[in-house]
Amino acid sequence: MSGGVDSSVAARLLTEKDYDLSAVFMRNWDTRDESGTETGCEWEKDWEDVQRVCTLLDIPCKMVDLSRQYWTRVFEPALDEWAEGLTPNPDVSCNREIKFGALMDRALTTPNQWLATGHYAQLRWDTLDPTHARPMLYRSADRHKDQTYYLSSVPESQLHKALFPIGHLTKPEVRELATRYSLPTASRSESMGICFVGEKGHFNQFLSQYIPPKPGRIVDTNGKDLGAHRGLWMYTIGQGARIPGLTTKMFVARKDAAANELVVAPSDHPSLFCTSVFVSSWHWIWDDHPPSSVDSPTGLRASVQIRHRMSEVPCTIFRRKGGVFEIRFEQPEQGVAPGQIAVVWDGEWCLGSGKIVDTTCLE
């Protein structure tokens, strides 16, 4: 339980089932660890809300401190990628390494235990082999809140032990149930922060505490000098680049880490439109049974998202040498950056994901 309304309603729904319930709250970040003062104890409010809900539901709860695991498995690797000019998605690795990794390992001590969360996702089961039912990760009923993107790298073995009690509900329905059940978190506002950080209003300012400035030049696609930047990690491909003195609005087209240059272009420039991406560290949820068509000349027809906040787009996927996959978009896409996670679906069924290592654009 996180202290939010989603996990609170998930817990309440499970009280209606024949389960022996207990709750666990995961502490993963505390600014007091950095500052050494009593300011910044955001997790304490969450923990208080978890205890209030559990008291109402009459289920035991405990707190597990996984901040060290967060630091080493999620935060430090993400820092390294930001420093290299990449655009990582820590929430994907957070779910794989922490929530359904370290936390699941810590919480589940016997075979007949499951970890239920408030994620907006659904599990269906393939029963072609009656002796070995396999979990299939499906989108939630609420497409706007769907979180299968973030769960796309969780292994099948971990999904086998997961429950998503609110996956069949929409967010308004969850809110309505929370009010009906008089849960203390019914009116709590929604957290939109990054998994390991929480809600930090000025993210670049936050990262600057860990990544030193590395000034470089801002250039156009012809190499013309337009200004200076303070660090490639402060920019995302596709975002507007504020350059004093320019009358034409420019956007980040790419980052040249070797030269420490930020390359910008006007909004209609071909360098902003990508036709395909190359993806490594690929994870099929059914790792032993990838779709055979990825090795065919025509490839695997599927849909893909390269960001959580986007609609899926049609694509074709090909397996290349060295464990790399090529994903070709049906139409050119903007805002595509190395480091992002590309997640693929067959209809509503999430097949897996990988990390973008290179892009092919119109120029």
Side-chain angles (χ1 to χ4, degrees), residues 300-318:
L300 169 67
R301 292 288 297 164
S303 60
V304 63
Q305 284 178 226
I306 56 172
R307 296 178 298 276
H308 175 239
R309 296 280 180 193
M310 70 171 284
S311 298
E312 72 271 22
V313 296
C315 70
T316 307
I317 307 170
F318 303 87

Side-chain angles (χ1 to χ4, degrees), residues 7 10 21 45 88 102 145 162-163 246 267 284 294 318:
S7 60
L21 295 176
K45 173 63 169 64
K145 296 299 298 179
L163 297 173
L246 285 188
S267 62
W284 295 109
V294 295
F318 303 87

Side-chain angles (χ1 to χ4, degrees), residues 53-73:
V53 172
C54 289
T55 298
L56 177 67
L57 300 181
D58 192 26
I59 59 176
C61 62
K62 65 178 180 180
M63 178 174 63
V64 174
D65 186 353
L66 296 176
S67 53
R68 183 185 299 274
Q69 290 87 339
Y70 257 78
W71 183 273
T72 58
R73 298 190 197 180

Side-chain angles (χ1 to χ4, degrees), residues 78-329:
L79 276 181
D80 291 341
E81 292 192 40
W82 273 309
E84 293 170 5
L86 302 176
T87 306
N89 191 313
D91 284 342
V92 174
S93 55
C94 163
N95 279 298
R96 181 187 65 249
E97 298 291 335
I98 307 301
K99 289 180 182 175
F100 295 91
L103 178 62
M104 182 173 272
D105 292 342
R106 183 82 64 90
L108 306 189
T109 57
T110 67
N112 294 322
Q113 289 183 311
W114 292 267
L115 181 68
T117 71
H119 282 96
Y120 285 87
Q122 300 186 81
L123 287 178
R124 299 181 186 177
W125 296 87
D126 176 86
T127 56
L128 289 179
D129 180 354
T131 65
H132 180 54
R134 307 188 71 166
M136 305 167 69
L137 182 63
Y138 268 72
R139 289 192 184 274
S140 68
D142 190 331
R143 288 297 296 267
H144 179 69
K145 296 299 298 179
D146 178 67
Q147 292 175 302
T148 52
Y149 181 94
Y150 296 125
L151 298 170
S152 61
S153 68
V154 176
E156 177 187 1
S157 59
Q158 305 303 83
L159 290 177
H160 212 285
K161 299 179 286 186
L163 297 173
F164 303 124
I166 65 169
H168 65 292
L169 300 171
T170 65
K171 184 73 175 192
E173 290 171 334
V174 168
R175 288 280 187 196
E176 182 181 342
L177 286 174
T179 301
R180 184 192 308 170
Y181 296 142
S182 300
L183 296 177
T185 54
S187 60
R188 178 166 170 164
S189 60
E190 187 168 9
S191 172
M192 298 298 289
I194 287 181
C195 184
F196 58 76
V197 179
E199 296 190 75
K200 304 274 185 181
H202 302 286
F203 190 59
N204 282 345
Q205 181 179 344
F206 168 73
L207 283 184
S208 67
Q209 301 174 58
Y210 304 94
I211 306 176
K214 190 176 180 181
R217 305 310 302 169
I218 301 176
V219 300
D220 66 14
T221 54
N222 295 316
K224 180 181 178 181
D225 193 298
L226 300 177
H229 67 77
R230 292 184 295 149
L232 294 178
W233 55 269
M234 302 184 71
Y235 300 85
T236 301
I237 290 178
Q239 80 174 72
R242 297 179 180 178
I243 304 175
L246 285 188
T247 57
T248 300
K249 189 171 184 179
M250 305 294 275
F251 295 83
V252 178
R254 62 180 180 271
K255 304 176 187 180
D256 186 340
N260 194 28
E261 289 183 342
L262 190 73
V263 182
V264 299
S267 62
D268 58 351
H269 195 274
S271 62
L272 294 170
F273 297 84
C274 289
T275 56
S276 66
V277 294
F278 294 88
V279 181
S280 69
S281 304
W282 189 266
H283 163 78
W284 295 109
I285 294 178
W286 285 10
D287 193 45
D288 63 339
H289 193 66
S292 59
S293 53
V294 295
D295 296 309
S296 72
T298 56
L300 169 67
R301 292 288 297 164
S303 60
V304 63
Q305 284 178 226
I306 56 172
R307 296 178 298 276
H308 175 239
R309 296 280 180 193
M310 70 171 284
S311 298
E312 72 271 22
V313 296
C315 70
T316 307
I317 307 170
F318 303 87
R319 191 199 305 265
R320 301 307 187 196
K321 294 181 180 179
V324 173
F325 289 81
E326 180 185 3
I327 301 178
R328 296 179 187 172
F329 304 122

